[in-house]
């Protein structure tokens, strides 16, 4: 499903409202809410809204468990770190226990080894079903999501929940949730705005199935819901 908004402010409000609704529902039903955050610039406004007085009091943060969809393999204090941005905009401003936050990086280990550890952490919180309540995703101009980049072997992964690899075009290691795990989620929300996203969004949603070129096409929930929150520029309706 695609919902089109006039601007990023409307997208941020819609996403924050959904976050709160899903959190309240999950906590009421099973006493915990499991969410996956995304990085980049797209979600910063959403996180700041959730950290505001109007929103943060609507959630019992002691029962929220936070993971990430992907991460550049850089220290947590690096400006390229998705976790650093998430703490600055949201996590440092809400009363969430530190043991409920699972950063996608650890000093002194290889990304490949930590991918195994991270999957174990997910299994400990979610069980063998591996079903997150909410996964937030962005989409790159090239149609990638998380660290599922065009033409990379990780797109073929069928068994691992978490994978790490060296992304040659960017000259850096990446760690990411895989498509099979993402697709288990109850709700997947993709945020995209700006005219640069329009060509990829059109291909992803209406073009021929070609996930090697447009990896976002791999995201097809098993039993949950996929929702795109986009502005008019990304939707090509301006």
């Amino acid at each position: 499903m695609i919902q089109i908004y006039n601007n990023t402010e409307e997208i941020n409000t819609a996403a924050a409202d959904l976050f709160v609704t899903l959190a309240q529902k999950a906590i009421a039903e099973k006493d915990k809410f499991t969410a996956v955050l995304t990085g980049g610039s797209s979600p910063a406004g959403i996180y700041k809204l959730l950290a505001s007085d109007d929103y943060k009091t609507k959630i019992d943060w002691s029962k929220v468990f936070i993971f990430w969809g992907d991460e550049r393999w850089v220290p947590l204090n690096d400006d390229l770190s998705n976790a650093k941005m998430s703490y600055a905009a949201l996590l440092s401003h809400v009363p969430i226990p530190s043991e409920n936050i699972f950063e996608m990086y650890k000093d002194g280990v290889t990304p490949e080894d930590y991918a195994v550890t991270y999957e174990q952490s997910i299994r400990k919180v979610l069980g063998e079903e591996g079903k997150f309540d909410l996964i937030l995703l962005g989409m790159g101009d090239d149609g990638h999501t998380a660290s599922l980049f065009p033409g990379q072997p990780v797109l073929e992964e069928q068994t691992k929940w978490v994978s790490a690899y060296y992304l040659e075009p960017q000259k850096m290691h990446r760690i990411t949730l895989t498509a099979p795990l993402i697709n288990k989620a109850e709700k997947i929300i993709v945020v995209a705005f700006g005219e640069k996203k329009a060509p990829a969004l059109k291909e992803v949603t209406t073009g021929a199935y070609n996930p090697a070129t447009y990896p976002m096409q791999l995201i097809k929930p098993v039993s949950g819901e996929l929702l795109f929150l986009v502005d008019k520029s990304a939707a090509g309706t301006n």
Side-chain angles (χ1 to χ4, degrees):
M1 179 187 297
I2 300 177
Q3 293 181 356
I4 302 173
Y5 296 88
N6 291 313
N7 50 52
T8 55
E9 288 75 17
E10 289 185 5
I11 292 175
N12 292 343
T13 299
D17 287 344
L18 278 168
F19 190 102
V20 169
T21 298
L22 292 168
Q24 292 175 341
K25 179 176 182 288
I27 291 170
E29 291 178 354
K30 55 190 178 183
D31 209 36
K32 70 178 177 182
F33 173 59
T34 56
V36 172
L37 302 184
T38 184
S41 58
S42 298
I46 301 168
Y47 299 163
K48 289 176 182 177
L49 203 52
L50 287 170
S52 69
D53 290 338
D54 287 342
Y55 279 86
K56 66 181 179 182
T57 55
K58 297 178 180 179
I59 297 173
D60 183 350
W61 291 95
S62 69
K63 297 178 180 179
V64 175
F65 293 79
I66 295 293
F67 292 81
W68 275 265
D70 77 316
E71 187 63 274
R72 303 172 183 88
W73 194 252
V74 296
L76 297 173
N77 61 357
D78 192 297
D79 286 342
L80 291 176
S81 169
N82 289 337
K84 180 179 180 180
M85 183 278 289
S86 302
Y87 272 101
L90 172 61
L91 300 177
S92 295
H93 307 284
V94 293
I96 181 171
S98 59
E99 62 268 25
N100 289 11
I101 303 174
F102 297 85
E103 296 99 349
M104 224 175 196
Y105 175 84
K106 186 177 181 180
D107 285 323
V109 299
T110 67
E112 291 80 9
D113 284 344
Y114 195 62
V116 175
T117 301
Y118 204 76
E119 180 169 329
Q120 291 170 345
S121 298
I122 294 172
R123 290 181 184 275
K124 185 175 181 180
V125 174
L126 298 185
E128 293 304 309
E129 187 181 13
K131 189 173 188 176
F132 283 102
D133 296 309
L134 170 64
I135 295 181
L136 284 172
L137 295 173
M139 186 188 72
D141 300 350
D142 59 357
H144 87 269
T145 192
S147 283
L148 306 177
F149 284 89
Q152 298 299 317
V154 69
L155 303 181
E156 305 294 329
E157 183 59 57
Q158 297 296 321
T159 56
K160 293 179 182 177
W161 288 5
V162 185
S163 184
Y165 69 100
Y166 187 74
L167 184 59
E168 181 63 35
Q170 295 186 4
K171 305 295 182 185
M172 68 163 52
H173 283 91
R174 290 269 187 160
I175 182 170
T176 185
L177 302 188
T178 63
L181 177 62
I182 293 171
N183 285 332
K184 293 173 180 281
E186 181 71 28
K187 190 92 166 187
I188 302 169
I189 296 175
V190 182
V191 175
F193 52 82
E195 61 184 15
K196 290 183 178 180
K197 302 291 175 74
L201 183 64
K202 182 178 180 180
E203 289 295 333
V204 166
T205 56
T206 64
Y209 187 65
N210 184 12
T213 302
Y214 298 101
M216 177 61 78
Q217 290 183 329
L218 289 172
I219 307 308
K220 297 184 292 183
V222 176
S223 60
E225 181 186 11
L226 174 61
L227 176 63
F228 286 85
L229 304 182
V230 307
D231 68 356
K232 290 182 177 180
S233 295
T237 58
N238 257 0

